[in-house]
Amino acid sequence: MDVQVEGHGSIQVIRQVTDLHRPIDIVAVADASLIPDLMFRTDSTTGTNFTDSFTPFATNSMVIAYTNKSHYADEITPENWYQVLSRPDVRVGISNPMLDAAGYRSIHGHPAC
């Protein structure tokens, strides 16, 4: 068996199939909700859906990583993290939300956001 793997963000890997029409056997993404939204639609070149089903097989958790030198490291808690991250002098780094599920989940990951 010849297994060839490429790494991309979730949206980018779906677009390899839907926009670039690459012949890919398996699409594995970090955000299962993207599959119905982006792949349960008709491929204009074949007349069939890009896919009609998917099987979630794992879950993950988002985390906030910081050091004891980070601004407000002594204040951040599971209850107030989004308030601390919203402060104007706190610098936050995330992955590209246009390409990676972790990026847009970072932006929209909490009801208060």
Side-chain angles (χ1 to χ4, degrees), residues 7-101:
H8 300 285
S10 295
I11 294 172
Q12 189 177 16
V13 74
I14 290 171
R15 288 183 173 156
Q16 296 289 315
V17 175
T18 61
D19 297 357
L20 301 178
H21 302 282
R22 292 197 48 210
I24 296 174
D25 295 311
I26 297 172
V27 172
V29 296
D31 185 352
S33 72
L34 293 174
I35 299 299
D37 291 346
L38 300 176
M39 296 189 80
F40 285 10
R41 59 187 177 91
T42 305
D43 178 349
S44 62
T45 62
T46 66
T48 61
N49 282 0
F50 291 105
T51 191
D52 292 313
S53 64
F54 64 101
T55 304
F57 65 92
T59 60
N60 203 349
S61 299
M62 298 290 293
V63 299
I64 298 169
Y66 57 93
T67 72
N68 59 355
K69 295 180 182 178
S70 298
H71 287 309
Y72 312 109
D74 57 338
E75 295 180 32
I76 195 165
T77 68
E79 293 76 30
N80 74 357
W81 63 267
Y82 61 94
Q83 294 167 330
V84 172
L85 295 182
S86 298
R87 294 177 182 170
D89 57 337
V90 173
R91 293 180 58 195
V92 177
I94 63 170
S95 59
N96 185 335
M98 297 302 294
L99 303 175
D100 183 30

